[in-house]
Amino acid sequence: SALVRLTLATMKRFVDQQLNESPAELSPLEKSILEESGVPFGDANDARMQAEEMAAVLEVFQSSLLDIAPMPMDRYYSIAMMAAEIGNLNNAVRRTILQSTNGVERLRTVLTELDAVLGMAQARKMANSITDQADEDSKDLKVGTPQLPPWSRQIRKGTRIEYYWNEEWEWSKGEVMEDPVMVLDELIVTVKFDADGEVHRLPFQGDEKARWRPG
């Protein structure tokens, strides 16, 4: 069903996010340098190993799903429980899905929780990028062509943004309709604005970054 496919896809997104946020394994030289400096490096390697293990488990689970749970209702239950484990959902949510007798509602519950976890992680990442923008602005004042803010790298189809048109229209909210395209030193962003439904292809340039912000 569509709900099963959506839940599996969301689980995959969660695992991919964990892999992307976990640093790659340190080289022997890097470990040696950190060791001599008295800086612990075990946590970084542990996080990476856990993310890779999670990815492997999900891959095996998906390839064996029909054998594990040939009946649709059994499949709903198995996917829900695996999603709770992969997403490390809290005990209250786990109790809810264990007590539920409706397989579809159980899937919807874990899907909602996974989406919330993914959204919070994305928001934290965006916030960190915005915080880093002050440093980027300082660099722009010192030397060279103004650079795009770090958060612009997170813009994808479906991203919510705000664009400052002018003093009359001020900030307008909208949604990115397709993945942006980089042309030389500017990002071409296609935005559908909420106010009138119009679609505009807008250049996102370093020297006009003050006109853009996350929505």
Side-chain angles (χ1 to χ4, degrees):
S1 73
L3 185 58
V4 166
R5 289 195 297 273
L6 183 57
T7 306
L8 289 170
T10 304
M11 292 162 68
K12 179 70 165 55
R13 278 175 54 213
F14 180 85
V15 169
D16 288 345
Q17 184 184 77
Q18 299 301 305
L19 283 171
N20 290 336
E21 291 181 355
S22 301
E25 186 174 356
L26 299 174
S27 69
L29 177 59
E30 289 171 323
K31 290 178 182 178
S32 175
I33 293 171
L34 290 175
E35 220 168 30
E36 289 178 5
S37 305
V39 178
F41 55 82
D43 291 347
N45 280 345
D46 289 347
R48 181 70 186 185
M49 288 175 62
Q50 288 175 2
E52 290 176 349
E53 182 180 349
M54 190 188 301
V57 167
L58 180 59
E59 185 177 347
V60 172
F61 175 77
Q62 287 185 278
S63 64
S64 308
L65 185 56
L66 288 177
D67 295 328
I68 297 170
M71 301 299 292
M73 296 313 294
D74 293 336
R75 208 149 47 238
Y76 291 171
Y77 179 82
S78 299
I79 292 170
M81 298 309 295
M82 179 58 75
E85 190 64 30
I86 281 181
N88 196 26
L89 302 184
N90 63 48
N91 289 335
V93 175
R94 294 181 190 232
R95 277 196 298 272
T96 299
I97 63 176
L98 279 171
Q99 291 168 357
S100 175
T101 57
N102 186 317
V104 172
E105 286 303 317
R106 187 186 293 116
L107 272 184
R108 285 177 178 157
T109 297
V110 296
L111 183 57
T112 299
E113 293 295 328
L114 273 181
D115 276 335
V117 172
L118 282 166
M120 287 174 64
Q122 184 65 25
R124 284 196 300 272
K125 195 171 184 181
M126 190 76 81
N128 289 336
S129 295
I130 294 170
T131 301
D132 292 341
Q133 184 175 343
D135 292 337
E136 293 294 324
D137 290 342
S138 292
K139 292 176 186 175
D140 290 346
L141 291 173
K142 292 175 183 176
V143 62
T145 304
Q147 301 297 307
L148 291 173
W151 70 265
S152 66
R153 294 193 290 269
Q154 309 301 320
I155 298 176
R156 298 287 185 274
K157 179 179 179 181
T159 300
R160 298 287 301 171
I161 59 93
E162 293 184 30
Y163 181 78
Y164 188 87
W165 281 105
N166 50 42
E167 291 184 0
E168 179 183 357
W169 292 100
E170 297 186 337
W171 289 99
S172 298
K173 295 184 177 182
E175 181 178 336
V176 177
M177 302 306 293
E178 55 190 52
D179 288 345
V181 177
M182 180 63 77
V183 178
L184 298 179
D185 59 349
E186 66 182 25
L187 200 61
I188 305 301
V189 187
T190 304
V191 183
K192 181 177 181 180
F193 289 96
D194 298 347
D196 53 16
E198 289 191 2
V199 177
H200 294 268
R201 288 171 63 85
L202 302 169
F204 191 165
Q205 301 167 320
D207 55 1
E208 288 193 344
K209 58 190 173 188
R211 301 182 70 171
W212 297 78
R213 67 187 184 191

